[in-house]
Amino acid sequence: MPYSLLLFDYDGTLCDTRRAIKHSMRRTFEIMGYPTPDEALMDEAVGRGLLLPEMLLWLHPPGTPPLPAVWVDTYRAIYNTESEALVTLFPGVEQVLGDAVANGKESVVISNKGLPLLENSLSRFGLRHYFSLVLGDTPDRQLPLKPDPAMFTQVIQPRFSAIGPGATLMIGDTVPDLRFAHNCGISSCWASYGFGQENDTISLQPTYRINSLPELLPLLQ
């Protein structure tokens, strides 16, 4: 069916951020005086689509004290100053976003990543103008992040009130993206080229599956 409102995840859907995330993780643990997490564990953490505090805690050695907020602040400072340059676009991003605009679609980025990082990255790649709205984590955030549907029901739907859930499509690569779509009552498209694990994501029965971003183009016509 035709979709008028496209909700894009960022990490693992629009941008390949794996190198940037892992570099930030290694440097954060180094600065905080802990051994670097195992590479396989970092890959698994990225694939789970965990929130940043959850990811840091999950990689933290067992039996150690709870993580103070400075861990998150340190990670974000490293990502912004050192790691952002490691981010790359997945093939076909500009083609798909340009086609969406040409076909009168509204596009939104909704991510659990920090909003300043999202804005900086999208601007650096020259993509910001394709999006009517960019939603991410902020220090003064009042609403929960994905997979909670609050961002959709309280922010996105009022902004695009003329577009119903049936004409809205969520495109993402991990379990929180697909659960978010389910919780919102909207269609979902699993970006299998991203970071999510197939066994976890397929069990959530996404409406569509794409192996590359340009495979989304027929849904934009």
Side-chain angles (χ1 to χ4, degrees):
M1 66 168 296
Y3 294 100
S4 300
L5 178 58
L6 308 174
L7 311 182
F8 288 93
D9 177 47
Y10 170 84
D11 291 278
T13 301
L14 295 174
C15 291
D16 188 347
T17 56
R18 189 184 296 271
R19 288 176 61 209
I21 293 171
K22 291 168 67 175
H23 175 77
S24 298
M25 287 294 173
R26 285 191 290 266
R27 291 280 290 119
T28 298
F29 275 74
E30 176 187 343
I31 289 172
M32 302 307 294
Y34 284 86
T36 299
D38 180 78
E39 288 288 319
L41 283 178
M42 286 194 286
D43 284 332
E44 186 174 352
V46 171
R48 287 171 175 260
L50 300 175
L51 298 175
L52 176 55
E54 295 172 346
M55 188 182 300
L56 287 165
L57 185 61
W58 195 74
L59 292 170
H60 204 51
T64 50
L67 296 180
V70 69
W71 279 72
V72 171
D73 295 338
T74 299
Y75 174 95
R76 285 181 170 162
I78 292 167
Y79 194 104
N80 196 42
T81 58
E82 300 179 18
S83 304
E84 169 60 23
L86 301 175
V87 177
T88 58
L89 293 178
F90 282 110
V93 170
E94 291 190 83
Q95 178 188 8
V96 168
L97 295 177
D99 199 74
V101 170
N103 283 281
K105 315 298 182 185
E106 298 280 4
S107 294
V108 172
V109 172
I110 179 165
S111 171
N112 291 344
K113 203 176 200 67
L115 183 58
L117 295 177
L118 288 173
E119 293 281 8
N120 289 342
S121 183
L122 293 172
S123 296
R124 179 170 75 88
F125 286 117
L127 300 178
R128 181 61 182 86
H129 67 285
Y130 288 116
F131 299 102
S132 303
L133 184 63
V134 177
L135 298 173
D137 196 10
T138 61
D140 59 348
R141 172 174 51 86
Q142 301 297 311
L143 297 176
L145 299 172
K146 297 179 295 186
D148 192 289
M151 282 286 193
F152 180 70
T153 58
Q154 298 186 42
V155 180
I156 295 174
Q157 280 191 304
R159 173 72 176 268
F160 305 98
S161 57
I163 303 174
T168 303
L169 177 66
M170 175 71 207
I171 305 102
D173 67 309
T174 61
V175 166
D177 301 314
L178 302 183
R179 284 187 175 155
F180 174 77
H182 175 79
N183 293 340
C184 295
I186 62 178
S187 297
S188 61
C189 179
W190 177 45
S192 68
Y193 57 85
F195 306 153
Q197 302 299 311
E198 183 166 7
N199 289 342
D200 297 332
T201 50
I202 289 299
S203 66
L204 297 174
Q205 299 181 319
T207 315
Y208 308 98
R209 169 180 178 159
I210 54 173
N211 299 313
S212 66
L213 202 51
E215 290 182 17
L216 190 65
L217 291 172
L219 299 178
L220 307 183
Q221 305 303 315

